[in-house]
Amino acid sequence: MPTPSSAAAAALLLGLPLVARAQTGFNNPTSGGGSWLTSVPNTFPEGLGEPLNTVLSSESDSLVLDDSQDGGFLTYMLSLNFGGECLGFHQGNNQSANLGDGQGERQEATVLRYNFGDQNFGTCRESNDGGNHLRYWKQDGTNAIFMAVSVEMSADQQHDIVVDGYNLGRNYLVGNATKNAVSSPSDSTTGSGTTTVTIPGSRSDQTWSYQTELRFEKNLLNASSDGVNHASTVGTDGNPPVDGLVAVLTVKITEKPEGKSTSGARPSLGVSAASLTLAGLVALALGLAF
């Protein structure tokens, strides 16, 4: 069986570029022409965005990566006390993001807000009073979910971001996921924890439990003010508004209702169709591996 170096040599002999190897659990958006910042409409100056500071890894159970309220991503987020918008009404502008997956700029899937432990009306409180919230996008080719998490002010204050709100929003979310407070993380910070949610049902309540493994990665998101929305008011004590760390969550289902499966839609190849070069096709045909 040819070795990875043989595959690389074969592609080089053909004079063709190699297919980029997927990062563990997701592809780096910048490798495909994307960005770790969203695009926020109507900013001054134009072109500012918010950090994609949390990723749900593609190594999670496939059901968790589904946009599903039946044990999937939305149920997992309920176990962290995040739910859909107040009474289904969207507040604020839609943001877009380019995850480097060949799909270009795409609008957010939706906004999820902290519900303060109240599944019915808690997100109404967040919409009015402010608190933690997120937008998310799914990366084509890996199914990893990229989140822009931040703590915002009240509706009376136009939902501006609080001081250090990007880092705090990420830290609060992963703290909920691991049941441990996260205050000043580094790229060596790790954690794990179990969260449980019970969904009322017409016949019987459904309980789901999730085991979350947390790690932080650096050298992906810039520790900078460049291109960041609300940079002048979110930064603290001369520090930039973004600390440069991305939280990566790997989630496994540990308890599910009887008769339910943990399998969801399977991700496609770890590279998008747009990035599958002729070299990759040749290597795949020859049974080579990068």
Side-chain angles (χ1 to χ4, degrees), residues 18-29 31-32 57-59 99-100 139-144 146 215 217 220 267-272 275-276 289-290:
L18 294 175
V19 178
R21 185 167 185 160
Q23 198 149 353
T24 302
F26 59 94
N27 289 335
N28 187 340
S31 298
S57 163
S58 63
E59 295 184 318
L99 302 184
Q139 187 176 58
D140 189 52
T142 68
N143 277 357
F146 286 65
R215 72 179 191 270
E217 292 200 12
L220 296 171
S268 54
L269 292 174
V271 290
S272 67
S275 64
L276 189 57
F290 292 134

Side-chain angles (χ1 to χ4, degrees), residues 14 18 71 78 101 114 205 212 228 266:
L14 291 170
L18 294 175
L78 270 179
D101 54 5
Y114 189 66
D205 293 349
T212 301
V228 177
R266 292 183 178 273

Side-chain angles (χ1 to χ4, degrees), residues 79 194-197 207-211 252-256:
S79 80
T194 299
T195 54
T196 299
V197 62
T207 298
W208 296 82
S209 294
Y210 303 88
Q211 176 71 26
K252 303 294 183 180
I253 297 172
T254 56
E255 180 184 353
K256 59 184 177 61

Side-chain angles (χ1 to χ4, degrees), residues 243-266:
D243 64 10
L245 293 174
V246 174
V248 181
L249 305 176
T250 302
V251 180
K252 303 294 183 180
I253 297 172
T254 56
E255 180 184 353
K256 59 184 177 61
E258 185 177 354
K260 297 290 185 178
S261 171
T262 61
S263 298
R266 292 183 178 273

